[in-house]
Amino acid sequence: MQPTPPVLLRALTKRFGEVVAVDGLDLTVHDGEFFSMLGPSGSGKTTVLRLIAGFERATSGTIELDGQDVTATAAHQRDVSTVFQDYALFPHLSVLDNVAYGLRVRRVPKRSRHEKAREALALMRLEQVAERRPHQLSGGQRQRVALARAIVVQPKVLLLDEPLGALDLKLREQMQVELKQLQRRLGTTFVFVTHDQEEALSLSDRVAVFDQGRIVQIGTPAEIYERPASPYVAQFVGTSNLFDSATSQRLFGIARRHGLRPEKIQLHHERVPDAEIVVEGVIAESIYLGSEIRVHLQLDDGTQLIVLERAGEHTEHRGEKVVASWSRRDLVPLTDEKAS
Amino acid sequence: MSHRVGALLGRYPALRLGLLIAAPLTWLVAVYVVALAALLVTALWQVDSFTGDLERTVSLENLKTVLTGELYRTVTLRTVGVAALVTVIDVLIALPIAFYMAKVATPRRRRILLIAVLTPLWASYLVKAFAWRATLSDGGLLEWLGTPIGLQSPGYGLSAVVMTQAYIWLPYVILPIFAGLERVPDSLLEASGDLGGGPVHTLRWVVLPLLVPAVIAGSIFSFSLTLGDYITVNIVGGTSQMLGNLVFVNAGAANNLPLAATIALIPIVVMLGYLAAVRRTGALDNL
């Protein structure tokens, strides 16, 4: 028998007036996994999170948390905690009282709730700011207070709504590591909303890619990246060269849409005999990115190709004629947008 | 020339500031401070009880009269009591209305309610007071409504004053609380619910603490405006008197301007005391 999933959505739909934000969604989140909902803004991922938390009421469909139907249950009676995008720390309470808030409403006596709040703060390495007010903290500290406040009540599921969006790059990378470690240590199920594909790929056990209120693909980061199901996913997650069926037919003899990751292509100065697929073209642009070089290749038939090379391996110049090669297994057959 | 003036102003920021606020400052000093000072000075003068002439000699006689007189103590307590009651009633009515307007209502309903709250401010104070007089009168609206369910109109008196004043000052209490609530992000209410706080918890531990400055701002309006009122008391107060009436009678019929000035100091002192008490809570820091 399958264990009860912490989150189970069935035909979940949410309409705001005429706008369909979530469109008949079915989703199972497994126990203890780091699950990400990835999509551009307006794709419905945040609405799904808010539906799970209970801030929005579903138009139709059901939400089950740990086997219980909570579709009509108020937010404060659901065993989930949210880390808000703007952190939503209570400005009139100290950091310690913010973290202890969930315990206070559960009528935990003052001494033991402060003890637990201090433990949670220690976990986030924030003991030294316990007495401060939220407005006296830096963005990264506020973020960690919000996390401490959410985990101190030991929720079954932790919901995170673009929690790293407001942080600068360095801090964001550091928080990603901390989030991952925290999730591993607590073993709590994380449902993470982000529009940053890199973040989703690096943190998650599984990723759901959203488009217009639907999940267009769900799978491990490797599956999503290596085997995108549709042109939309192929382009939203990382960069892809897309070939329509006519171009595919012309280049390698299969009449079907295909995607190809730029780093799977090798560039050569002369013809290579052992490569499976070989094309010729002229370098239209060569952009130095530090660790990599992005080469825009104009094929003889007019097709544009983007190639990523490790910096220092090759030195191609604009206008130079080169040969590009890749192997057949790196080609990703794509279904048509409508069929997905 | 203008270039040189500009350079001069640029060099001396104090001069720039002085020129900028000179006009409003003059007005403030002339109208406010001088008038208050005149009140204070007048309170120290006397009226010759035989001729009725003003004697411009300094004495503390009036102050002594007001501080020791039974009448003044009673009326002061009554006035402060009425003002406090009006304030409490207004805050209790304003909180749910403001909450509905700021957090629950659709934008359209919010606009309609806002207009409904603001419109009475355009009507004359006298009209509103007389409307209540009619409502409270024998055979008036309140009696007509109340009789079938066994209630009577309170008639004219202090409770009528409280009702009328609470009605007249209500918009002044709703508006600051509404503005304060609008500044509370929805995510804070959601966070409270998310952490397991029900509506009562959220209200008690999140909404009300954040609203304290707004409630105090509103209460300053209703409290101070009620404290100085004498028209409503005249219209629906029956025989009861408030401080305003004493001032009115002494400045007019009794021809004792100095005593009137002294009595007028009472609400000022009470208000200063209230502001000082509020300041100690730190609520004014956020205004």
Side-chain angles (χ1 to χ4, degrees):
Chain A
M1 197 187 101
Q2 285 274 314
T4 323
V7 180
L8 179 63
L9 310 180
R10 281 206 194 97
L12 191 64
T13 299
K14 174 68 184 175
R15 279 192 212 97
F16 295 103
E18 293 292 294
V19 183
V20 183
V22 179
D23 191 2
L25 201 77
D26 293 297
L27 174 64
T28 307
V29 179
H30 304 314
D31 194 24
E33 78 174 333
F34 197 122
F35 186 84
S36 286
M37 303 200 280
L38 173 68
S41 61
S43 59
K45 57 194 192 309
T46 296
T47 309
V48 173
L49 197 83
R50 293 175 57 80
L51 283 163
I52 298 173
F55 305 143
E56 306 282 355
R57 282 293 143 93
T59 310
S60 62
T62 58
I63 303 167
E64 280 181 30
L65 295 178
D66 210 25
Q68 278 193 314
D69 188 337
V70 297
T71 316
T73 307
H76 66 274
Q77 285 157 338
R78 298 189 187 188
D79 194 12
V80 296
S81 288
T82 308
V83 177
F84 292 81
Q85 190 168 14
D86 65 354
Y87 314 141
L89 300 177
F90 304 121
H92 59 293
L93 298 179
S94 70
V95 165
L96 188 67
D97 283 334
N98 259 286
V99 176
Y101 186 86
L103 300 170
R104 177 154 81 179
V105 300
R106 284 169 175 73
R107 303 187 192 287
V108 175
K110 188 169 187 167
R111 181 189 295 234
S112 87
R113 73 169 182 250
H114 277 183
E115 204 173 294
K116 282 184 180 152
R118 278 186 199 285
E119 279 170 27
L121 283 172
L123 193 66
M124 306 304 321
R125 288 178 284 105
L126 282 170
E127 306 101 310
Q128 70 285 0
V129 299
E131 306 307 325
R132 288 202 207 152
R133 291 291 177 91
H135 67 88
Q136 295 170 305
L137 305 181
S138 70
Q141 286 173 324
R142 271 179 231 179
Q143 166 67 72
R144 301 215 300 273
V145 174
L147 264 172
R149 185 178 69 175
I151 59 173
V152 79
V153 295
Q154 299 178 317
K156 199 92 188 115
V157 181
L158 188 67
L159 307 171
L160 303 107
D161 183 10
E162 308 227 7
L164 310 181
L167 304 178
D168 61 49
L169 185 65
K170 263 270 175 311
L171 203 54
R172 195 155 71 222
E173 285 171 349
Q174 186 192 327
M175 279 306 299
Q176 286 174 2
V177 177
E178 277 189 41
L179 264 185
K180 188 79 197 167
Q181 287 172 345
L182 185 71
Q183 195 261 341
R184 210 168 284 143
R185 180 149 28 153
L186 298 174
T188 306
T189 310
F190 276 33
V191 177
F192 185 85
V193 161
T194 182
H195 64 266
D196 184 333
Q197 44 102 6
E198 217 177 289
E199 202 164 273
L201 293 183
S202 60
L203 290 176
S204 320
D205 297 316
R206 280 196 310 151
V207 179
V209 184
F210 276 70
D211 182 32
Q212 295 175 10
R214 292 160 177 269
I215 293 176
V216 288
Q217 191 175 1
I218 190 163
T220 65
E223 282 166 7
I224 299 275
Y225 187 81
E226 302 286 343
R227 296 281 138 189
S230 69
Y232 172 82
V233 178
Q235 286 203 299
F236 187 74
V237 182
T239 327
S240 279
N241 293 295
L242 293 183
F243 305 122
D244 58 25
S245 53
T247 311
S248 299
Q249 174 72 44
R250 193 162 60 241
L251 292 180
F252 41 85
I254 311 171
R256 187 179 181 177
R257 274 170 165 272
H258 281 89
L260 178 64
R261 294 293 182 191
E263 67 275 13
K264 305 284 189 190
I265 306 174
Q266 286 90 43
L267 291 183
H268 317 272
H269 287 286
E270 63 254 1
R271 264 203 111 71
V272 269
D274 55 336
E276 288 181 341
I277 297 164
V278 176
V279 295
E280 281 178 35
V282 177
I283 292 180
E285 202 64 72
S286 172
I287 295 161
Y288 180 69
L289 300 171
S291 61
E292 296 166 322
I293 296 173
R294 189 166 76 228
V295 178
H296 291 245
L297 201 63
Q298 173 99 32
L299 299 192
D300 296 342
D301 63 352
T303 311
Q304 289 268 359
L305 214 58
I306 295 172
V307 182
L308 266 186
E309 288 198 296
R310 292 245 324 261
E313 279 186 351
H314 293 279
T315 47
E316 280 90 11
H317 299 286
R318 223 149 62 83
E320 201 176 324
K321 260 190 100 69
V322 290
V323 176
S325 72
W326 63 86
S327 60
R328 214 164 265 280
R329 66 184 150 83
D330 289 330
L331 282 167
V332 184
L334 301 173
T335 55
D336 267 336
E337 208 83 54
K338 288 185 200 92
S340 65
Chain B
M1 177 62 198
S2 69
H3 180 76
R4 221 180 309 157
V5 172
L8 196 69
L9 288 179
R11 191 142 6 117
Y12 300 105
L15 184 67
R16 203 168 57 210
L17 186 68
L19 285 174
L20 196 65
I21 63 169
L25 201 62
T26 312
W27 179 255
L28 201 66
V29 168
V31 171
Y32 248 77
V33 181
V34 171
L36 259 180
L39 187 74
L40 201 65
V41 172
T42 312
L44 300 172
W45 292 342
Q46 300 295 304
V47 166
D48 189 309
S49 56
F50 187 63
T51 61
D53 290 337
L54 210 55
E55 285 175 9
R56 293 191 167 82
T57 51
V58 173
S59 111
L60 296 175
E61 204 52 44
N62 288 327
L63 222 52
K64 207 183 286 170
T65 311
V66 166
L67 284 178
T68 55
E70 183 72 31
L71 170 73
Y72 304 106
R73 193 179 314 142
T74 314
V75 175
T76 300
L77 286 179
R78 181 188 300 149
T79 307
V80 170
V82 168
L85 199 57
V86 166
T87 301
V88 169
I89 290 171
D90 272 353
V91 168
L92 287 182
I93 298 175
L95 276 173
I97 294 179
F99 188 83
Y100 180 81
M101 283 167 68
K103 294 293 171 202
V104 184
T106 58
R108 191 183 131 79
R109 279 216 189 127
R110 177 179 315 163
R111 268 198 302 280
I112 293 171
L113 274 171
L114 204 56
I115 292 169
V117 169
L118 285 170
T119 315
L121 292 177
W122 298 345
S124 158
Y125 178 105
L126 280 176
V127 171
K128 286 184 279 188
F130 274 109
W132 272 94
R133 186 184 168 88
T135 307
L136 291 156
S137 64
D138 283 341
L141 182 66
L142 220 56
E143 199 177 278
W144 180 72
L145 282 174
T147 311
I149 50 169
L151 288 173
Q152 283 185 316
S153 164
Y156 304 137
L158 274 186
S159 36
V161 173
V162 170
M163 286 167 79
T164 308
Q165 293 274 285
Y167 163 76
I168 289 176
W169 307 133
L170 185 59
Y172 295 91
V173 184
I174 292 180
L175 290 176
I177 295 180
F178 168 67
L181 265 171
E182 274 213 308
R183 279 201 300 267
V184 176
D186 290 347
S187 64
L188 288 187
L189 310 186
E190 289 174 356
S192 172
D194 189 62
L195 292 163
V200 176
H201 273 114
T202 306
L203 198 68
R204 172 66 190 85
W205 299 112
V206 180
V207 179
L208 288 182
L210 289 172
L211 273 188
V212 167
V215 169
I216 284 175
S219 75
I220 289 173
F221 283 121
S222 60
F223 189 72
S224 65
L225 290 170
T226 309
L227 218 49
D229 185 84
Y230 72 97
I231 302 173
T232 298
V233 198
N234 273 342
I235 295 173
V236 300
T239 54
S240 46
Q241 282 189 312
M242 297 206 342
L243 285 172
N245 303 99
L246 293 185
V247 175
F248 180 70
V249 166
N250 277 300
N255 188 32
N256 194 339
L257 196 61
L259 186 59
T262 314
I263 299 168
L265 290 177
I266 299 175
I268 294 177
V269 170
V270 170
M271 210 52 221
L272 285 177
Y274 182 62
L275 286 176
V278 164
R279 213 193 118 137
R280 282 184 67 122
T281 67
L284 293 181
D285 305 344
N286 300 322
L287 284 185

